[in-house]
Amino acid sequence: DIQMTQSPSTLSASVGDRVTITCRASQSISGWLAWYQQKPGKAPQVLIYKASRLGTGVPSRFSGSGSGTEFTLTISSLQPDDFASYYCQQYISYPLTIGGGTKVEIK
Amino acid sequence: EVQLVESGGGLVQPGGSLRLSCAASGFTFSSYWMSWVRQAPGKGLEWVANIKEDGSQKFYVDSVKGRFTVSRDNAKNSLYLQMNSLRAEDTAVYYCARYSGDDSFQYWGQGTLVTVSS
């Protein structure tokens, strides 16, 4: 199974900050990586797919990069609506696996 | 507008069974793989199962193999998850999601809570 490791697990930041979350795969997944945002009590929503493609309706302050085993999600200027949990997920092979999550908190 | 609405969750005793349903609308259901993803209270997301457009292929996470069965009825635009031999560790919110090999879980339902407890 491919293990997905996110860091950090918690991140404290202020509105306007540039935020970067890292996701590492235990083996190469090429670009088959998605990022999701989840707010408390709500279903996750896709932000990025194929490592760098922006989901429908997702603000351009979100971007994804990387390939192989190292990936990043960047929020260029953190907004109040962005305080949430973020998850990476590989979909190159079964079982589909999801990182442990990164909670972005208000500093 | 794509809509996925789960139902069937509830409280069940260990060893019991439960059947979850997911009603889909707003897209051609028979043209997409579908998924179940769960989230234990206060924990992260865990993929549970996938089923191909015509139901001919199914994949499961190891922890539910032999206990859970994913199925679909394309005539009813519905996805199902039959859960048997339930354990406390199956307690979670269960989401159905539309899946594709291009953009993964593009759409999600609101989830249904399954609690396994005596």
Side-chain angles (χ1 to χ4, degrees):
Chain A
D1 298 1
I2 300 174
Q3 307 303 317
M4 305 301 293
T5 304
Q6 287 182 236
S7 60
S9 55
T10 306
L11 187 160
S12 296
S14 302
V15 172
D17 284 353
R18 182 180 181 88
V19 167
T20 298
I21 299 169
T22 298
C23 177
R24 290 186 174 86
S26 60
Q27 63 191 74
S28 177
I29 59 170
S30 186
W32 298 105
L33 183 101
W35 289 96
Y36 302 89
Q37 178 193 66
Q38 187 181 33
K39 297 177 182 177
K42 300 293 186 181
Q45 292 184 298
V46 66
L47 295 173
I48 303 286
Y49 64 98
K50 280 187 179 176
S52 61
R53 298 193 183 182
L54 209 59
T56 303
V58 175
S60 58
R61 64 180 178 272
F62 292 94
S63 63
S65 64
S67 66
T69 61
E70 297 260 345
F71 301 86
T72 58
L73 173 70
T74 299
I75 309 173
S76 60
S77 178
L78 198 66
Q79 298 301 301
D81 192 48
D82 302 337
F83 292 96
S85 293
Y86 295 84
Y87 296 90
C88 63
Q89 176 243 332
Q90 66 82 15
Y91 54 109
I92 193 172
S93 66
Y94 289 103
L96 307 180
T97 47
I98 304 172
T102 296
K103 186 175 182 180
V104 177
E105 299 180 330
I106 300 173
K107 190 171 184 179
Chain B
E1 179 194 5
V2 172
Q3 284 201 320
L4 299 168
V5 180
E6 302 93 336
S7 60
L11 175 64
V12 60
Q13 292 189 337
S17 298
L18 211 56
R19 188 197 197 204
L20 306 183
S21 299
C22 173
S25 61
F27 66 101
T28 305
F29 182 73
S30 59
S31 296
Y32 288 90
W33 284 72
M34 295 296 295
S35 303
W36 288 99
V37 179
R38 67 183 178 182
Q39 186 170 37
K43 302 297 184 182
L45 300 168
E46 180 183 41
W47 168 78
V48 174
N50 267 24
I51 184 168
K52 195 176 178 180
E53 296 97 330
D54 61 0
S56 62
Q57 281 187 274
K58 303 175 184 181
F59 297 92
Y60 300 92
V61 67
D62 280 351
S63 60
V64 308
K65 283 180 184 175
R67 300 189 300 123
F68 289 12
T69 301
V70 61
S71 63
R72 63 192 297 161
D73 184 336
N74 287 343
K76 295 183 177 180
N77 290 340
S78 292
L79 175 72
Y80 306 101
L81 186 66
Q82 177 67 43
M83 304 186 294
N84 298 331
S85 303
L86 281 160
R87 306 167 180 167
E89 54 265 36
D90 296 318
T91 294
V93 173
Y94 285 74
Y95 297 100
C96 72
R98 193 182 88 175
Y99 177 80
S100 86
D102 185 61
D103 54 18
S104 197
F105 306 125
Q106 180 73 10
Y107 294 98
W108 298 68
Q110 85 289 347
T112 188
L113 176 63
V114 172
T115 303
V116 184
S117 174
S118 55

